[in-house]
Amino acid sequence: MARDISTAADPASAWLTRFAPLIKPGVRVLEIACGNGRNTRLLAQLDVKVTAVDVNPMPQTWENVEFLKADLERDPWPFAPETFDVVVGIHYLWRAGFADLCASLKTGGLFLYETFSEEQFREVGRPKNPEHYLRTGELLRLIPSAWRVIAFEDGLTDHGAFYERITARKTLVKNALTPEDIRLCRPR
């Protein structure tokens, strides 16, 4: 399993922070591989109901957050047939379970995902295990083609890591952006 490169005191993912305004109050959010809770902390502040799952979740007592201990790589998918309004995955890749992750999102729901790209390995030498980083453009291929891609990035981030990142809606109409989506995609 990949080592968590962040600490609980670190800010939430910049990608999650950027697209958090699309998460409506009161919705149900699934966060996989919650680790030390740095992203869960941001989600807990959004007035949503969070299910944060990890093989070893940090013990926290935040309102509207349920921490669930589960090994997504060894145990059966714990959420079928349950669905969520938002699915968040930061710095975690398990290709064999990606279809289950996508199936856990309600139609119209928001999918926020980021993890290392193969360029991170080529330039930095880690993660060493090819199962822990995406091949070039792989994230776009993993997302169902009918989903509406709001934003996608592949490259070097401000803090010196190479990621593929995507924000998408589970729809039956491909890439029909709303004005709210477009506002978040414009340079600041």
Side-chain angles (χ1 to χ4, degrees):
M1 178 159 303
R3 180 179 65 85
D4 193 348
I5 61 168
S6 64
T7 69
D10 287 341
S13 153
W15 191 253
L16 176 59
T17 301
R18 177 178 173 188
F19 291 99
L22 293 179
I23 301 173
K24 304 296 183 206
V27 301
R28 294 186 61 230
V29 177
L30 171 62
E31 180 195 6
I32 61 163
C34 66
N36 59 42
R38 71 185 182 104
N39 296 305
T40 314
R41 184 178 61 241
L42 172 84
L43 292 168
Q45 296 169 5
L46 299 178
D47 191 28
V48 298
K49 292 175 179 43
V50 181
T51 300
V53 63
D54 198 275
V55 68
N56 194 22
M58 294 290 287
Q60 302 284 347
T61 53
W62 291 327
E63 191 173 337
N64 293 326
V65 177
E66 173 193 7
F67 286 94
L68 176 65
K69 182 175 181 149
D71 187 337
L72 298 178
E73 297 176 18
R74 291 189 174 87
D75 300 338
W77 186 250
F79 306 107
E82 189 174 10
T83 57
F84 297 84
D85 302 290
V86 179
V87 171
V88 176
I90 306 294
H91 297 174
Y92 179 74
L93 178 61
W94 184 246
R95 288 175 182 88
F98 207 86
D100 288 327
L101 185 64
C102 291
S104 293
L105 186 63
K106 290 180 180 178
T107 300
L110 187 67
F111 189 82
L112 294 151
Y113 198 89
E114 97 176 350
T115 199
F116 295 107
S117 67
E118 66 184 331
E119 196 162 3
Q120 175 75 8
F121 172 72
R122 284 196 306 269
E123 297 295 324
V124 181
R126 64 181 195 278
K128 293 183 186 295
N129 185 339
E131 293 302 313
H132 296 157
Y133 58 80
L134 293 159
R135 291 3 174 247
T136 301
E138 184 178 5
L139 189 52
L140 286 171
R141 292 187 299 276
L142 287 170
I143 296 296
S145 63
W147 287 20
R148 180 174 32 132
V149 175
I150 297 167
F152 174 78
E153 290 182 359
D154 179 3
L156 183 63
T157 64
D158 292 342
H159 71 278
F162 292 88
Y163 295 135
E164 281 196 21
R165 302 164 152 176
I166 197 162
T167 298
R169 284 215 187 273
K170 184 174 185 175
T171 65
L172 302 177
V173 179
K174 188 176 179 182
N175 291 325
L177 294 175
T178 68
E180 182 180 34
D181 295 335
I182 293 169
R183 178 183 56 80
L184 287 170
C185 294
R186 290 189 181 132
R188 294 174 195 197

